[in-house]
Amino acid sequence: MLLIINLVLLLFLYEDVIGLPCLTNEAKEDFDKSRKDLTVVQSNIGTVVKTLETNHQQTITALESTLKKTVSIMENNVKQTTNVLKNNLETFKTTLNSMGQKIKKLDTDFIVLGKDFRKTKWIKSDGHCYYFSPESKDWFSAERNCRAIGGYLAKMNNDGEKNNIFSYAKKAQYWIGMTDLKEGEFRWSYDQSIAVIKDWYPGFGSKGRNANCVALAANGGKLKPFDTACSEKRQYICESNFCKYT
């Protein structure tokens, strides 16, 4: 580009010179002065062009550096995000495996009423699940044990429910989730609702302040509740709201 500008200026100057038939001393001085000015202009143009080229290269270099930094930051962010996703995936897999093992255990923990419940923990009867403990505990320990295995001391909503499990409980006395810690006011420990019992075991139902916990015993072909001391050790019935159907 600089070369083209020089050629154009020289052509203009050449035409002016050729067009002059004869140069006087004054004209010659003007010509020399013009040539010097042209040289200065030429030099200035060269400087400007070099400056522009330098600035252009610096701009390109700065853009390349910024772009590299941006790409590097993006790559690091993608790598970090990928690592986080991998860690979360491993955690998710571990959780799924744990859940799978628990579900598999539940598959073996539930059986249908009528099978040998002694080989497993839970039985199903009329939409309810029950666990009949082989060991004897005081009432409060029995309640804690039921909570620990995902249930609660059984709440017998009606005589039909008691009769459904009669064949399993008739050989023993079992704690259920009923108390009258406030004397004479029987409540279910599961939800603290008032327990309405009309068919008590003969001679029971209001045995005083030292008999605040309730158990079931067979009488006349039915399971009937009786209140007794909470410190006595008896087997117990846990209930769960979740049933595994086969």
Side-chain angles (χ1 to χ4, degrees):
M1 182 177 179
L2 180 62
L3 179 61
I4 293 173
I5 294 173
N6 291 337
L7 289 174
V8 170
L9 291 173
L10 288 174
L11 285 174
F12 281 124
L13 182 62
Y14 176 76
E15 289 180 357
D16 290 340
V17 173
I18 296 300
L20 294 174
C22 183
L23 293 176
T24 62
N25 289 334
E26 184 178 353
K28 186 175 181 302
E29 289 178 358
D30 291 340
F31 175 75
D32 290 338
K33 183 179 179 181
S34 297
R35 185 169 58 185
K36 289 180 181 178
D37 291 341
L38 178 61
T39 301
V40 173
V41 170
Q42 179 182 354
S43 176
N44 291 338
I45 291 174
T47 300
V48 171
V49 170
K50 287 182 179 179
T51 300
L52 289 173
E53 290 177 345
T54 300
N55 291 341
H56 179 66
Q57 185 61 43
Q58 289 176 348
T59 301
I60 292 176
T61 302
L63 288 173
E64 288 178 346
S65 177
T66 301
L67 182 60
K68 287 180 180 179
K69 290 180 180 179
T70 303
V71 171
S72 178
I73 292 172
M74 292 177 65
E75 289 177 345
N76 289 333
N77 289 339
V78 170
K79 187 176 181 180
Q80 291 176 359
T81 302
T82 302
N83 290 335
V84 170
L85 290 175
K86 286 182 177 179
N87 291 335
N88 290 341
L89 181 60
E90 290 300 322
T91 302
F92 184 61
K93 286 181 178 179
T94 301
T95 302
L96 282 180
N97 289 335
S98 177
M99 291 178 62
Q101 292 174 359
K102 291 180 180 179
I103 291 174
K104 186 176 180 180
K105 184 177 183 301
L106 285 174
D107 285 339
T108 61
D109 277 351
F110 290 89
I111 61 172
V112 177
L113 186 64
K115 293 184 179 180
D116 187 2
F117 74 90
R118 292 171 298 177
K119 294 181 180 179
T120 187
K121 289 183 177 181
W122 298 90
I123 64 169
K124 183 183 81 70
S125 173
D126 194 26
H128 296 267
C129 295
Y130 301 97
Y131 167 66
F132 291 82
S133 73
E135 75 277 7
S136 296
K137 299 286 184 181
D138 63 80
W139 190 94
F140 293 101
S141 296
E143 173 71 7
R144 285 194 298 270
N145 284 5
C146 287
R147 298 288 180 177
I149 62 175
Y152 49 90
L153 273 178
K155 175 184 178 183
M156 303 298 175
N157 294 306
N158 51 58
D159 289 338
E161 185 175 353
K162 293 197 298 290
N163 294 334
N164 283 338
I165 62 172
F166 173 73
S167 61
Y168 292 97
K170 65 182 180 181
K171 296 180 181 180
Q173 298 176 354
Y174 290 89
W175 286 124
I176 58 174
M178 188 193 301
T179 64
D180 69 334
L181 297 177
K182 181 179 179 181
E183 186 60 32
E185 185 177 282
F186 289 93
R187 292 182 178 271
W188 294 106
S189 61
Y190 170 64
D191 56 9
Q192 291 301 303
S193 60
I194 296 292
V196 179
I197 303 296
K198 298 179 180 180
D199 189 20
W200 287 94
Y201 198 96
F204 291 84
S206 182
K207 297 296 289 186
R209 296 185 180 277
N210 293 325
N212 293 324
C213 294
V214 178
L216 290 179
N219 177 260
K222 295 181 179 180
L223 288 175
K224 296 185 178 182
F226 65 96
D227 51 338
T228 186
C230 301
S231 59
E232 294 182 5
K233 292 186 177 182
R234 303 178 185 279
Q235 293 173 257
Y236 52 94
I237 304 173
C238 299
E239 185 174 355
S240 173
N241 294 327
F242 174 77
C243 286
K244 171 67 177 179
Y245 292 90
T246 59

